[in-house]
Amino acid sequence: MTDLPAPTPIREFHDADRRMLDAEIRPLGQPAVLRGLAAHWPVVRAGKQSEEAGLDYFRRFGQDREIEALLGAPEIEGRFFYSPDLKGMNFLRGQVSLRDFYDRLLRDRTAHRPYSLALQSEVIPNLLPGFVEENPLAMVEPRVQPRLWMGNTIHVAPHYDLMENLGIVVMGRRRFTVFPPHQLDNLYMGPIELTPAGTPVSLVDIANPDLVRFPRYAEAANHAQSTILEPGDAIYLPFHWWHAVDSLEKVNAFVNYWWNDARPGMGNPYDALMYGLFALRGLPPEQREAWRLMFNRLVFESDGDPVAHLPEEAKGVLGPTTDKKLAMMRATLRQIMARL
């Protein structure tokens, strides 16, 4: 295998606050490590004492609730992924109580080849009432609800979020390897209808990339950045940045905050993508090219305001977005979808 360059370290910030996040970090459009952001959290201090103490802290907020957990056979070695034929997953989903989940995490620490176990994206105020009050974060808007991720030694393939993301390691350590959005073509995206956790993932095993099958990954590797987060450290990920996540200890916990500053009431761009595939992808090449030019001009405004030459009252849906125009477009879309 051709040697690939080591990822560039993700830029680090210390003593970060909300002002720094909004004024200095987010405008860069780059991932950032915020060292020690939550080192003062009680859950972080408990986890640093021991894995038992860390989980005992979580138990204080209730452990009889049911959660959806992921379970993978020892053979997958923690890599939650597709089945070999890409028609399914190599893990199972099931319901379990938090009590049993915590107990299983601790018990499996001594197993030679443990089953892979993970809890993903549970809304913390619903799952652990009182946790947020003891472990607050002033970096994001209060409306943003934190989510909990927990498991043993897990490897998550590169994927992207449709949100901005601020995540904090509270137990164990995590390695993040990130790629900018423009590396989409070089990351070999898997099926979009069937995904491990919502958005498509890269088919490349970045720990052992097969450059015969995925030769363009060598270019993606040139743009990779990486870091290892300790308990209390945080990472900021801009919208749509690809990120692979490796949980490095036998008990790991992570809290993240997702948000999107898009105007409320707008449609879901992912829905538009799906309709675009339905309406455009099968057209003759010359027609696709004509529509590509139209989308670039009207939707993505590739050459500035496409209706700057029109008076305001004639710009219609191509003018400034208002609640009234969104309502009109929504009604039109309902009529269109009813005809399908």
Side-chain angles (χ1 to χ4, degrees), residues 16 53 106 170 181 188 234 246 274 284 304 337:
L106 291 176
V170 297
Y188 296 90
D246 298 300
M274 187 60 66
M337 298 309 292

Side-chain angles (χ1 to χ4, degrees), residues 54-76:
L55 290 182
D56 282 345
Y57 181 86
F58 279 102
R59 293 180 200 270
R60 291 180 45 230
F61 302 96
Q63 52 184 334
D64 294 326
R65 293 175 179 80
E66 291 285 312
I67 60 165
E68 181 180 81
L70 277 56
L71 184 68
E75 290 73 22
I76 74 171

Side-chain angles (χ1 to χ4, degrees), residues 71-82 90-91 111-118 152-157 175 205 207-208 245-249 252:
L71 184 68
E75 290 73 22
I76 74 171
E77 297 182 331
R79 188 173 186 241
F80 289 129
F81 198 63
Y82 293 102
N90 67 354
F91 58 90
H112 173 59
R113 298 185 70 204
Y115 279 78
S116 300
L117 185 65
N152 49 15
T153 308
I154 300 300
H155 309 288
V156 177
R175 177 172 53 240
D205 180 356
N208 186 30
V245 188
D246 298 300
S247 303
L248 303 178
E249 312 297 344
N252 299 271

Side-chain angles (χ1 to χ4, degrees), residues 11-134:
R11 185 175 181 179
E12 297 188 5
F13 294 81
H14 297 265
D15 302 318
D17 57 16
R18 176 67 181 272
R19 185 210 63 80
M20 181 183 292
L21 178 67
D22 289 339
E24 300 179 29
I25 298 174
R26 293 176 67 197
L28 295 174
Q30 291 281 324
V33 173
L34 314 180
R35 291 291 181 195
L37 180 69
H40 61 287
W41 276 9
V43 64
V44 173
R45 293 200 299 265
K48 285 183 175 180
Q49 294 176 33
S50 68
E51 291 162 345
E52 289 84 356
L55 290 182
D56 282 345
Y57 181 86
F58 279 102
R59 293 180 200 270
R60 291 180 45 230
F61 302 96
Q63 52 184 334
D64 294 326
R65 293 175 179 80
E66 291 285 312
I67 60 165
E68 181 180 81
L70 277 56
L71 184 68
E75 290 73 22
I76 74 171
E77 297 182 331
R79 188 173 186 241
F80 289 129
F81 198 63
Y82 293 102
S83 58
D85 61 6
L86 300 182
K87 294 181 179 180
M89 299 298 160
N90 67 354
F91 58 90
L92 300 174
R93 299 179 187 271
Q95 296 294 313
V96 65
S97 72
L98 266 177
R99 182 192 310 274
D100 291 342
F101 183 85
Y102 296 149
D103 290 345
R104 178 70 179 266
L105 271 181
L106 291 176
R107 185 175 70 246
D108 282 3
R109 290 177 302 172
T110 58
H112 173 59
R113 298 185 70 204
Y115 279 78
S116 300
L117 185 65
L119 168 163
Q120 294 188 329
S121 194
E122 290 282 351
V123 178
I124 292 179
N126 299 340
L127 185 69
L128 306 171
F131 180 95
V132 174
E133 288 72 17
E134 290 193 12

Side-chain angles (χ1 to χ4, degrees), residues 4 9-10 23 31 39 63 77 80 84-85 107 118 146 168 173 183 194 216 247 272 312 325 340:
L4 296 175
I10 297 175
Q63 52 184 334
E77 297 182 331
F80 289 129
D85 61 6
R107 185 175 70 246
I168 299 168
R173 296 180 304 142
Q183 288 304 302
L194 177 68
R216 292 197 307 272
S247 303
E312 288 298 320
K325 287 182 183 177
L340 291 180

Side-chain angles (χ1 to χ4, degrees), residues 122-174:
E122 290 282 351
V123 178
I124 292 179
N126 299 340
L127 185 69
L128 306 171
F131 180 95
V132 174
E133 288 72 17
E134 290 193 12
N135 302 274
L137 184 71
M139 296 284 282
V140 299
E141 294 291 336
R143 62 179 172 80
V144 179
Q145 294 190 317
R147 295 171 179 266
L148 178 64
W149 310 70
M150 185 180 288
N152 49 15
T153 308
I154 300 300
H155 309 288
V156 177
H159 62 286
Y160 59 86
D161 298 326
L162 299 175
M163 304 274 185
E164 292 182 68
N165 191 358
L166 182 68
I168 299 168
V169 171
V170 297
M171 290 183 66
R173 296 180 304 142
R174 289 192 177 220

